[in-house]
């Protein structure tokens, strides 16, 4: 983890070495300490762990059917993803309808 | 600059709606009997004899997954539940079918059962809230509860331990050994992997036939470009927005749900029940008809939830499964999909209650929330998961050491530049 972090920092520093502001580097220590604390705590306590019933249960599903209709266009947004992307968050419940 | 084409019509599956098709329902035979009789008629309450020599000292031999007579060493197994009940095609599952051992719990059912010893005629009282058998205090015959009493203590089926105590101990020792450095010192001092206990935990195992619909919006990136220069350079995106609808029909086989209210509470800020949940799944298709002798030498936890209590959890899991199943059909939306509404139609379910084998090591943390931390081993597959209490002081020292090292590098770079 630390090696990846250092590698990332080195490539960014190299890219900005031509006179750019490097004061953000001072945040490296606190950020690294926080990441190590959180990572180790997660490794010991495993509070994120649960049974992956979506993958580990015998399921037979027909191919999904449906429709896709273009309803709008977005121009010049700074956001790289859709707001509230929950495509991979299968367990987040949304409004039920009948 | 990146420019992507919109989803092509040729890639899309036809929008066929089958879930309201009356022709499908008309082909399905209605459920005749919503109760599956899973009683082990070969056994009654009282003396449970070896089929070869008639002795009553019987227990499980985990390494073989078989019952063994401690007198003549004869080994045997009860019949698999799947072989003794009509399972049928899951696609044709309709209505709610329940195993007789999964029937609603009668809260007024007496937990004290009086059995007449078939060896000497003495009357022996067994508190089935705590144990499923007792030894006759006069002739030393072993008496067991095999009839399905309506208090949740006798399930439809049991899956015997296969992982031995020694194997479980080794797995727990290895798991905890990797987590010694930053562990709470009281945990390290008191750790004795040999204290692991075998517990039969209560579950409902559910087959289901369902359909689901989900609707939302997806976005496809059509252009990516930059504005400004130097430190003010920013990336902008153009995208097409689509309304997305998906429908999926699916069946699930042996979805396993906790049927103890206490174990089903997965609030990780106050308990570590998620650890026991994580070691699922079990090979539930190998579960056998109930025989209390499988519990000899182990403890068990009683079911306290009926089918109606578990229905919301089942629906939640079925919706999650449906959402995971439609994911591959929306991969073209490279900016993501926001599902906004969902619907579930459960056409049929079949519920069977089971005792499933778990090796459990527990440690009660002193002070604070006094949380009980578990390390659990799946008694069939050997999958292990655990929660080890941390020493926050040690963790802080470790994190600060790494942070200081990184800060030193950062300062060195700044000074050099």
């Amino acid at each position: 983890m630390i090696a990846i972090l250092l590698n990332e920092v080195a490539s960014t520093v190299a890219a900005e070495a031509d006179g750019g502001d490097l004061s953000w580097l001072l945040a490296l220590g606190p950020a690294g300490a926080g990441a190590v604390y959180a990572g180790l705590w997660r490794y010991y306590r495993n509070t994120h762990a649960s049974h992956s019933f979506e993958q580990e249960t015998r399921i037979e599903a027909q191919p999904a059917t449906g429709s896709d209709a273009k309803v709008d266009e977005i121009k010049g947004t700074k956001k790289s993803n859709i707001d509230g992307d929950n495509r991979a968050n299968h367990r987040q419940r949304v409004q039920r309808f009948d | 600059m990146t420019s992507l084409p919109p989803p092509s019509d040729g890639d899309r599956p036809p929008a066929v709606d089958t879930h309201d098709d009356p022709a499908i329902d008309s082909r399905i035979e209605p459920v005749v009997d919503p109760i599956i009789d899973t009683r082990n008629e070969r056994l009654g309450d009282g003396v449970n004899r070896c089929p070869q020599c008639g002795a009553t000292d019987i227990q499980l031999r985990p390494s073989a997954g078989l019952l063994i007579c401690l007198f003549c060493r004869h080994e045997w197994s009860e019949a698999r539940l799947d072989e003794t009940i009509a399972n049928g095609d899951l696609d044709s599952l309709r209505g709610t079918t329940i195993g007789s051992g999964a029937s609603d719990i009668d809260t007024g059912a007496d937990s004290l059962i009086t059995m007449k010893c078939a060896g000497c005629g003495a009357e022996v009282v067994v508190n089935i809230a705590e144990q499923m058998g007792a030894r006759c205090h006069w002739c030393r015959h072993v008496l067991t509860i095999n009839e399905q009493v309506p208090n949740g203590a006798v399930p439809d089926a049991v899956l015997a331990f296969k992982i031995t105590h020694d194997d479980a101990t080794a797995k727990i020792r290895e798991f905890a050994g990797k987590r010694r450095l930053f562990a709470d010192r009281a945990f390290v001092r008191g750790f004795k992997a040999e204290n692991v206990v075998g517990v039969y935990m209560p579950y409902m195992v559910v087959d289901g036939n369902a359909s689901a619909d989900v609707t939302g919006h997806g976005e496809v990136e059509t252009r990516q470009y930059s504005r400004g220069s130097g430190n003010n350079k920013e990336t902008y995106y153009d995208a097409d927005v689509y309304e997305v609808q998906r429908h999926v029909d699916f069946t699930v086989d042996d979805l396993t749900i906790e049927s103890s209210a206490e174990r089903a509470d997965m609030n990780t800020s106050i308990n570590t029940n998620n650890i026991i949940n994580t070691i699922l799944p079990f090979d539930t298709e190998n579960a056998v008809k109930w025989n209390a002798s499988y519990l000899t030498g182990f403890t068990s936890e009683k079911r306290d939830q009926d089918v109606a209590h578990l229905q919301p959890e089942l629906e939640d899991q079925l919706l999650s499964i449906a959402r995971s199943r439609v994911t591959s059909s929306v991969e073209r939306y490279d900016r993501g999909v926001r599902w906004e509404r969902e619907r579930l139609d459960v056409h049929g379910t079949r519920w069977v209650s089971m005792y499933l084998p778990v090796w459990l090591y527990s440690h009660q943390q002193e002070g604070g929330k006094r949380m009980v931390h578990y390390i659990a081993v799946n008694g069939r597959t050997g999958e292990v998961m655990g929660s080890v209490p941390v020493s926050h002081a040690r963790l802080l020292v470790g994190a600060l050491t790494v942070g200081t090292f990184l800060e030193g590098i950062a300062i060195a770079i700044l000074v050099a530049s």
Side-chain angles (χ1 to χ4, degrees):
Chain A
M1 187 168 65
I2 293 171
I4 295 170
L5 197 64
L6 287 175
N7 192 36
E8 190 70 24
V9 170
S11 57
T12 310
V13 167
E16 297 200 2
D18 56 345
D21 183 10
L22 293 175
S23 59
W24 58 268
L25 272 175
L26 292 172
L28 198 61
V36 168
Y37 192 99
L40 283 172
W41 194 87
R42 184 179 153 106
Y43 178 65
Y44 276 62
R45 293 278 281 103
N46 286 306
T47 51
H48 62 286
S50 68
H51 169 41
S52 303
F53 56 85
E54 297 97 332
Q55 282 82 43
E56 297 180 327
T57 307
R58 288 187 295 275
I59 299 165
E60 290 200 9
Q62 302 299 315
T65 58
S67 62
D68 307 76
K70 184 175 171 181
V71 291
D72 200 1
E73 288 181 7
I74 297 173
K75 300 287 184 193
T77 178
K78 290 183 186 175
K79 294 175 181 171
S80 60
N81 286 300
I82 190 172
D83 280 339
D85 184 5
N86 54 10
R87 177 169 48 178
N89 188 3
H90 310 136
R91 297 188 186 181
Q92 182 199 65
R93 294 279 66 85
V94 296
Q95 185 187 358
R96 291 278 293 266
F97 70 100
D98 294 321
Chain B
M1 187 177 82
T2 305
S3 180
L4 293 172
S8 71
D9 285 324
D11 290 338
R12 291 175 196 157
V16 180
D17 186 7
T18 58
H19 60 288
D20 290 330
D21 188 348
I24 290 178
D25 284 337
S26 66
R27 293 198 301 267
I28 307 301
E29 291 293 326
V31 174
V32 177
D33 186 357
I35 300 288
I36 313 167
D37 187 354
T38 61
R39 285 175 300 173
N40 193 341
E41 290 171 351
R42 193 177 67 79
L43 303 174
D45 281 350
V47 174
N48 181 16
R49 294 186 183 278
C50 165
Q52 185 159 288
C53 74
T56 59
D57 263 345
I58 299 163
Q59 70 176 47
L60 174 69
R61 191 159 78 86
S63 57
L66 298 170
L67 294 175
I68 182 169
C69 170
L70 298 181
F71 188 74
C72 72
R73 315 304 290 177
H74 174 62
E75 293 182 349
W76 77 100
S77 173
E78 292 295 337
R80 283 175 53 223
L81 186 72
D82 277 2
E83 291 170 351
T84 57
I85 62 173
N87 272 321
D89 183 8
L90 291 182
D91 288 324
S92 60
L93 195 58
R94 289 292 184 276
T96 304
T97 312
I98 300 173
S100 52
S103 303
D104 285 358
I105 293 167
D106 178 3
T107 51
D110 198 348
S111 60
L112 294 178
I113 302 267
T114 303
M115 292 189 290
K116 197 172 187 66
C117 175
C120 68
E123 291 196 333
V124 178
V125 178
V126 179
N127 182 358
I128 57 173
E130 296 177 356
Q131 55 188 349
M132 297 305 291
R135 193 179 281 277
C136 172
H137 42 274
W138 295 108
C139 69
R140 303 195 55 74
H141 268 114
V142 177
L143 310 178
T144 50
I145 302 288
N146 289 311
E147 301 213 344
Q148 290 175 340
V149 275
N151 72 343
V154 178
D156 293 301
V158 58
L159 189 59
F161 275 90
K162 201 172 181 181
I163 299 293
T164 63
H165 182 272
D166 287 348
D167 290 342
T169 301
K171 286 176 183 295
I172 286 171
R173 186 174 288 120
E174 183 188 357
F175 184 90
K178 290 177 181 170
R179 292 165 175 80
R180 272 183 71 91
L181 186 58
F182 298 103
D184 182 60
R185 291 300 95 185
F187 175 84
V188 174
R189 279 194 301 273
F191 182 73
K192 277 192 94 172
E194 298 75 19
N195 289 346
V196 62
V197 291
V199 187
Y200 281 100
M201 305 291 282
Y203 291 87
M204 284 286 195
V205 177
V206 191
D207 295 339
N209 175 21
S211 301
D213 295 272
V214 284
T215 65
H217 288 87
E219 290 182 5
V220 177
E221 186 179 299
T222 53
R223 190 173 165 230
Q224 181 181 341
Y225 49 96
S226 299
R227 285 180 186 157
S229 59
N231 288 339
N232 296 322
K233 194 174 177 182
E234 288 186 303
T235 304
Y236 289 83
Y237 305 89
D238 290 351
D240 287 343
V241 182
Y242 287 80
E243 188 176 272
V244 186
Q245 297 181 339
R246 289 292 181 271
H247 173 85
V248 63
D249 299 307
F250 61 101
T251 61
V252 293
D253 187 3
D254 286 4
L255 192 62
T256 306
I257 299 174
E258 284 85 359
S259 60
S260 156
E262 193 179 343
R263 298 293 154 226
D265 178 6
M266 308 268 177
N267 183 348
T268 54
S269 65
I270 56 172
N271 65 51
T272 61
N273 289 331
N274 70 304
I275 297 301
I276 305 173
N277 175 263
T278 306
I279 62 169
L280 293 170
F282 290 83
D283 54 330
T284 44
E285 67 276 14
N286 291 319
V288 297
K289 294 187 86 167
W290 172 254
N291 183 328
S293 294
Y294 282 105
L295 271 62
T296 306
F298 300 98
T299 60
S300 61
E301 189 161 306
K302 198 161 69 72
R303 170 174 73 90
D304 63 6
Q305 297 287 283
D306 293 332
V307 167
H309 297 133
L310 300 175
Q311 201 79 39
E313 177 61 26
L314 172 70
E315 292 188 5
D316 195 77
Q317 294 198 11
L318 290 176
L319 278 168
S320 298
I321 288 169
R323 287 264 295 276
S324 75
R325 291 287 145 171
V326 302
T327 300
S328 61
S329 73
V330 293
E331 281 175 353
R332 65 176 71 102
Y333 295 103
D334 54 1
R335 284 173 53 85
V337 175
R338 180 180 60 248
W339 295 121
E340 292 156 355
R341 303 174 76 214
E342 57 194 6
R343 179 174 77 172
L344 179 72
D345 291 321
V346 181
H347 309 304
T349 51
R350 182 165 50 223
W351 300 70
V352 171
S353 64
M354 277 188 200
Y355 272 160
L356 301 180
V358 177
W359 288 106
L360 213 53
Y361 180 86
S362 59
H363 168 82
Q364 179 153 33
Q365 193 173 6
E366 297 297 325
K369 294 174 183 169
R370 294 181 60 80
M371 190 184 284
V372 178
H373 293 262
Y374 295 119
I375 301 176
V377 179
N378 184 313
R380 297 289 293 189
T381 65
E383 182 180 347
V384 59
M385 181 47 69
S387 168
V388 173
V390 295
S391 162
H392 290 285
R394 282 179 167 245
L395 213 51
L396 206 57
V397 169
L400 287 176
T401 303
V402 174
T404 305
F405 173 70
L406 293 174
E407 196 69 5
I409 293 174
I411 291 170
I413 292 172
L414 284 173
V415 169
S417 63

